[in-house]
């Protein structure tokens, strides 16, 4: 990964802003900027300096992984080491913090430890904005994660049948994921059958799958740090015309949104492409969530693909397209793919077919 370019971009942003330095505390942002994958650390970046702080548990890992920054191992608390370092070098800094990620308690502790002439400011989401556009290497990681993730659905299709518990389906998928090299799941696997399929986030439960209903399978893996995210919905038992036509309405909406994706269009326009189709087929009010979200080092990251959002798509952005309709107490349907924005359209990353499947 090109950490030096990422660091250079951040320093450029700093030079154009009114803060002197930023204390990066969000671990995915730290990983993105300098390569550290551990669970405790802070990266301090100013126009001239880059310093990574962690504790002695991560001495070796930090020395091996951290690129382009000086590593300081705190003797005691990491925040204390940061306070001491800044107190020694830059007593009058305007220091930016990641307000979305630093806890209220950490902010207070930091203020207590920092020199009194220093000011804490909320930094703009510089790193999140940079992370929206994936470079070639990241796209390659994402493609691999999506391929591995998609293979789990084949396993699900072998397992899903009446009488099998939702957690058993999830367990088989997750076992296969780990065997195939996944670092973990990108979120708790959703297997929602029967009336539970009408819950947009129905985590796999002890419920047995019963004939005559949909099963929503929403799942993803983490591979080389990058997440995949995919949803397929299958019917169990004898086919119902009503179920089939609702399924195809969602599929048409999902494909319309994918067809709308291209560089220069807003995410709001992508959302409305899906919404229009569902409104036309009479299902508009059953589509109760947004159309999608960015994916990368985190399962949910900017941009939000939602109504009236004005973020403009650029080549290299990776988003999900996942319209769904939900009839409370009855059933629900969602279809989700990941796509990478290109100049003229998009690359559909998810390889799995979308035809109505009954098992
Ligand atoms: Zn999903
Ligand atoms: Zn998603």
């Amino acid at each position: 990964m090109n950490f030096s370019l990422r660091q250079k971009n951040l320093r450029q942003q700093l030079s154009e802003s009114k803060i002197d330095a930023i204390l990066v505390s969000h671990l995915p942002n730290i990983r993105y900027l300098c390569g550290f994958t551990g669970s405790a650390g802070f990266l301090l970046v100013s126009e001239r300096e880059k310093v990574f702080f962690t504790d002695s548990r991560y001495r070796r890992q930090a020395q091996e992984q951290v690129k382009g920054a000086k590593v300081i191992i705190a003797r005691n608390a990491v925040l204390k080491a940061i306070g001491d370092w800044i107190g020694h070098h830059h007593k009058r800094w305007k220091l930016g913090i990641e307000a979305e990620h630093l806890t209220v308690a950490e902010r207070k502790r930091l203020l207590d430890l920092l020199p009194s002439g220093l000011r804490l400011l909320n930094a703009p989401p510089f790193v999140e904005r940079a992370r929206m556009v994936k470079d070639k290497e990241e796209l390659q990681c994402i493609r691999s994660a999506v391929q591995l993730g998609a293979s789990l659905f084949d396993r699900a299709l072998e397992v899903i049948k009446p009488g099998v518990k939702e957690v058993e389906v999830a367990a088989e998928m997750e076992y296969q994921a780990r065997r195939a090299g996944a670092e973990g799941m990108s979120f708790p696997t959703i297997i929602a059958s029967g009336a539970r399929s009408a819950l947009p986030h129905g985590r796999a439960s002890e419920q047995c799958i019963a004939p005559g209903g949909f099963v929503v399978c929403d799942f993803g893996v983490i591979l080389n740090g990058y997440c995949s995210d995919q949803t397929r919905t299958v019917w169990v038992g004898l086919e119902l015309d009503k179920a089939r036509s609702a399924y195809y309405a969602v599929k048409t909406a999902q494909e319309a949104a994918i067809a709308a994706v291209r560089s220069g269009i807003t995410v709001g326009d992508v959302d409305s492409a899906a919404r229009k189709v569902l409104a036309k087929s009479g299902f508009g009010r059953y589509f109760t969530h947004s159309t999608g979200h960015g994916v990368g080092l985190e399962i949910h990251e900017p941009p939000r693909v939602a109504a009236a959002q004005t973020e403009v798509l650029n080549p290299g952005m990776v988003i999900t397209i996942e319209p769904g309709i939900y009839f409370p107490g009855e059933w629900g349907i969602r279809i989700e793919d990941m796509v990478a924005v290109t100049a003229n359209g998009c690359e559909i990353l998810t390889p799995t077919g979308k035809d109505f499947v009954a098992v």
Side-chain angles (χ1 to χ4, degrees), residues 18-309:
K18 49 180 190 233
I19 56 179
D20 300 307
I22 179 169
L23 182 63
V24 183
S25 56
H26 188 45
L27 290 167
N29 287 349
I30 291 175
R31 177 176 188 153
Y32 175 81
L33 288 169
C34 73
F36 179 73
T37 63
S39 63
F42 291 85
L43 180 66
L44 185 63
V45 179
S46 73
E47 271 187 71
R48 284 179 34 233
E49 293 131 315
K50 295 168 286 179
V51 190
F52 177 76
F53 297 85
T54 188
D55 62 66
S56 56
R57 292 172 301 165
Y58 290 108
R59 182 187 300 274
R60 174 117 192 227
Q61 187 177 345
Q63 280 157 357
E64 281 172 8
Q65 290 184 328
V66 173
K67 300 285 182 285
K70 179 180 173 183
V71 174
I72 291 183
I73 308 295
R75 287 211 198 118
N76 304 303
V78 178
L79 285 178
K80 168 102 174 54
I82 295 168
D84 288 349
W85 191 91
I86 294 176
H88 195 255
H89 293 87
H90 302 283
K91 291 192 174 56
R92 310 202 61 82
W93 255 0
K94 288 197 216 77
L95 177 64
I97 52 163
E98 297 184 306
E100 299 275 353
H101 305 295
L102 203 68
T103 67
V104 173
E106 283 170 329
R107 187 181 188 283
K108 174 164 190 314
R109 224 175 301 145
L110 199 56
L111 263 182
D112 292 344
L113 291 165
L114 287 167
S116 55
L118 187 141
R119 280 177 58 204
L120 277 192
L121 299 171
N122 293 342
F126 293 133
V127 191
E128 282 83 353
R129 295 200 61 80
R131 280 175 47 200
M132 278 201 285
V133 174
K134 276 70 181 173
D135 63 30
K136 276 206 180 98
E137 236 178 309
E138 291 185 286
L139 284 172
Q140 211 39 55
C141 287
I142 291 172
R143 283 190 196 99
S144 305
V146 172
Q147 287 293 332
L148 199 167
S151 73
L152 306 184
F153 183 63
D154 301 333
R155 183 70 192 125
L157 284 180
E158 290 168 4
V159 186
I160 292 174
K161 51 170 89 69
V164 171
K165 287 180 186 169
E166 293 169 359
V167 280
E168 290 171 337
V169 179
E172 289 298 328
M173 295 169 78
E174 293 177 8
Y175 181 64
Q176 175 162 315
R178 293 307 295 257
R179 301 249 342 180
E183 290 150 37
M185 307 307 288
S186 24
F187 54 91
T189 302
I190 291 171
I191 302 291
S193 69
R196 296 188 74 255
S197 64
L199 307 171
H201 276 120
R203 284 185 188 175
S205 77
E206 290 285 319
Q207 178 169 299
C208 287
I209 293 168
F214 278 115
V215 182
V216 173
C217 310
D218 188 349
F219 52 93
V221 297
I222 307 169
L223 187 63
N224 295 313
Y226 285 82
C227 296
S228 81
D229 189 8
Q230 170 179 354
T231 308
R232 286 295 182 271
T233 302
V234 297
W235 181 260
V236 180
L238 286 176
E239 257 185 60
L240 281 181
D241 283 348
K242 192 179 142 207
R244 183 180 251 276
S245 65
Y247 180 92
Y248 277 103
V250 175
K251 178 172 178 280
T252 308
Q254 201 252 4
E255 288 166 345
I258 290 178
V261 173
R262 88 182 101 83
S263 175
I265 195 177
T266 69
V267 286
D269 286 340
V270 174
D271 181 271
S272 74
R275 231 163 271 285
K276 255 184 223 155
V277 172
L278 287 170
K280 224 180 194 173
S281 43
F283 294 120
R285 64 195 182 94
Y286 302 103
F287 178 20
T288 48
H289 53 71
S290 52
T291 293
H293 53 88
V295 192
L297 287 169
E298 291 178 274
I299 181 64
H300 291 119
E301 52 181 56
R304 271 187 66 218
V305 185
Q309 291 288 309

